[in-house]
Amino acid sequence: MTRADALKNREHILQIAHDAFVESGATSLNEIAKRAGVGAGTLYRHFPTREALILAVYRHDIERLVTSVPELLARHTAVQAFRQWFATLAGYIRVKHGLGDALHSPAAQEAIQGTYAPVIAALDELIRACVAEGSMREGLRAADILLLMGFYWRAPADAEGASRRRG
């Protein structure tokens, strides 16, 4: 297997694992391997523990989100890009919270802290675009918005929660 094939395989496993964790944080590694169409050995070679897979999915999701900002701004108004980006982040955070104890280890806390700065930088870029567009006032700080928007990802996943998130 070439390095490119291994990377493609890893990306595929991460996407399957993301989808499985959205359905249930209790999805087993064997079930994820089966859904991904790989053997358990392949999965464990990439991710030796459940925690390693969960953290890799979390990092992968945040990396994709952070790098999506320029494309979102190119395709949408700044405020629409901000809303879509934040809704995606909220979905990732809801999945993360659903994984419970798996994200309370020192390694998990390190991964979460390691994603904070890139998220803040992406949010700053979106805020600057919104200010330039006139849809946000100047002086808003990304860290404050992130803190204040904590309610957004705590809204239930049901229809009422969706309605509250659309505001």
Side-chain angles (χ1 to χ4, degrees):
M1 177 179 285
T2 68
R3 179 144 174 82
D5 289 338
L7 183 59
K8 185 177 174 183
N9 205 16
R10 186 179 193 282
E11 294 288 320
H12 175 68
I13 291 168
L14 288 172
Q15 185 58 52
I16 295 296
H18 167 88
D19 295 346
F21 291 145
V22 167
E23 291 171 24
S24 169
T27 304
S28 72
L29 294 185
N30 287 336
E31 175 63 23
I32 290 168
K34 181 179 172 183
R35 289 184 190 189
V38 300
T42 298
L43 180 73
Y44 285 102
R45 194 167 33 259
H46 287 283
F47 311 101
T49 65
R50 178 178 180 72
E51 179 187 46
L53 178 59
I54 290 169
L55 294 177
V57 167
Y58 178 74
R59 284 186 193 108
H60 183 257
D61 286 348
I62 296 299
E63 180 181 319
R64 282 191 345 219
L65 182 65
V66 165
T67 60
S68 74
V69 171
E71 180 184 339
L72 286 171
L73 288 170
R75 293 182 26 224
H76 304 285
T77 66
V79 73
Q80 289 170 332
F82 175 87
R83 287 180 180 145
Q84 184 174 340
W85 187 90
F86 216 96
T88 303
L89 176 62
Y92 292 162
I93 300 297
R94 275 193 305 280
V95 169
K96 179 183 78 118
H97 282 287
L99 295 172
D101 292 338
L103 289 170
H104 292 291
S105 71
Q109 293 308 306
E110 183 179 318
I112 292 165
Q113 289 172 354
T115 60
Y116 183 77
V119 166
I120 291 296
L123 191 48
D124 275 334
E125 184 177 350
L126 288 162
I127 291 168
R128 284 191 304 274
C130 287
V131 168
E133 171 185 89
S135 56
M136 281 187 188
R137 67 173 173 80
E138 286 191 49
L140 296 173
R141 293 177 14 154
D144 294 339
I145 290 175
L146 199 58
L147 182 64
L148 290 171
M149 297 296 280
F151 79 91
Y152 193 86
W153 54 70
R154 287 183 177 89
D158 59 15
E160 180 184 340
S163 174
R164 288 166 46 200
R165 284 189 297 276
R166 282 190 299 275

